[in-house]
Amino acid sequence: NPDLKQSYSHFISGRYTFINTQKGQSLFANIFLQGTQDYISNATYVASADSVIQQGIVLKAGSQFTKPVNLDGYKSIRSFLTYSLPVKFIKSNINLNAGFAYSKLPGLINNVKTNTDNFIYNAGVVIASNISENIDFNISYSANFNNARSSASQQQNNRYVNQAVGIQLNLLSKNGWFVQNDISNQMYSGLSDGFNQNFL
């Protein structure tokens, strides 16, 4: 597309940090906002009959042609929060985190403007040992919920969940032997057939 223009993005972000060294607590919060002018997206054309397109190229009926175009309307917001504190009775630190992301993606299908709204929610927890230099373990869990909605067709809507679990164990003996073991599990659900996976 020789008429493609330069896109311009505008960003604004904020951050908040709180640390209590006496209690071993900390809190971090972030937010990011973005807007883009002349966002470079895709224009898709599906020919209902044989059609002549640019430079005398014939697009057969049922064929699809895609080219980059400038479209306004791209927006994005992302936020993330994490909080950590010690838990004395298990001699460990716990970290809790959560986040949210939203993006609006403009598109063009057969000269009709479309928008795809993507929503992502995530949360997780990490337990990290603070027992001694000889015993170290980490246990983690996170979940991401993805939801995409298209104004073009409900068939293009997509919802799925990605979960991850991990355990790491390190043992160091006083005479120098070191033992390490890791195990992780990834789970995908809500995708189309053949893409849902659950593996160690």
Side-chain angles (χ1 to χ4, degrees):
N1 181 3
D3 298 322
L4 206 60
K5 301 176 183 177
Q6 172 71 54
S7 64
Y8 292 91
S9 294
H10 308 272
F11 298 90
I12 186 170
S13 64
R15 180 178 64 186
Y16 175 78
T17 302
F18 170 79
I19 298 175
N20 187 325
T21 54
Q22 292 181 341
K23 295 183 178 181
Q25 298 174 342
S26 63
L27 173 68
F28 301 95
N30 297 278
I31 187 169
F32 306 91
L33 294 93
Q34 177 185 352
T36 302
Q37 295 172 258
D38 292 324
Y39 177 76
I40 298 176
S41 183
N42 284 327
T44 301
Y45 305 91
V46 180
S48 58
D50 290 358
S51 307
V52 178
I53 57 175
Q54 59 188 21
Q55 300 175 352
I57 299 173
V58 176
L59 191 66
K60 296 293 185 180
S63 297
Q64 179 174 296
F65 172 72
T66 303
K67 74 173 183 178
V69 294
N70 293 110
L71 294 173
D72 288 329
Y74 174 85
K75 298 176 183 177
S76 172
I77 179 172
R78 292 179 292 125
S79 62
F80 183 77
L81 176 74
T82 180
Y83 175 67
S84 62
L85 73 161
V87 180
K88 294 182 180 179
F89 75 93
I90 57 173
K91 295 182 179 181
S92 301
N93 295 319
I94 291 184
N95 179 280
L96 306 171
N97 59 76
F100 168 75
Y102 166 76
S103 62
K104 183 176 184 179
L105 302 171
L108 202 65
I109 299 178
N110 289 341
N111 294 315
V112 177
K113 188 174 180 180
T114 64
N115 287 303
T116 300
D117 295 307
N118 288 312
F119 299 86
I120 301 175
Y121 309 88
N122 58 69
V125 59
V126 178
I127 301 175
S129 69
N130 192 19
I131 300 173
S132 72
E133 62 181 10
N134 300 106
I135 300 174
D136 180 45
F137 68 83
N138 281 276
I139 303 172
S140 62
Y141 170 79
S142 64
N144 291 277
F145 303 88
N146 298 264
N147 184 7
R149 295 200 299 253
S150 174
S151 63
S153 170
Q154 290 188 353
Q155 293 179 345
Q156 296 183 13
N157 293 348
N158 192 0
R159 301 182 69 177
Y160 69 94
V161 180
N162 174 24
Q163 300 178 76
V165 180
I167 299 174
Q168 182 183 62
L169 176 65
N170 299 317
L171 299 176
L172 177 64
S173 69
K174 292 182 179 180
N175 57 6
W177 285 95
F178 180 67
V179 178
Q180 182 183 48
N181 195 15
D182 298 273
I183 185 170
S184 62
N185 180 222
Q186 289 277 347
M187 295 165 283
Y188 293 87
S189 58
L191 297 170
S192 56
D193 293 340
F195 289 95
N196 290 322
Q197 298 182 36
N198 186 346
F199 56 88
L200 288 169

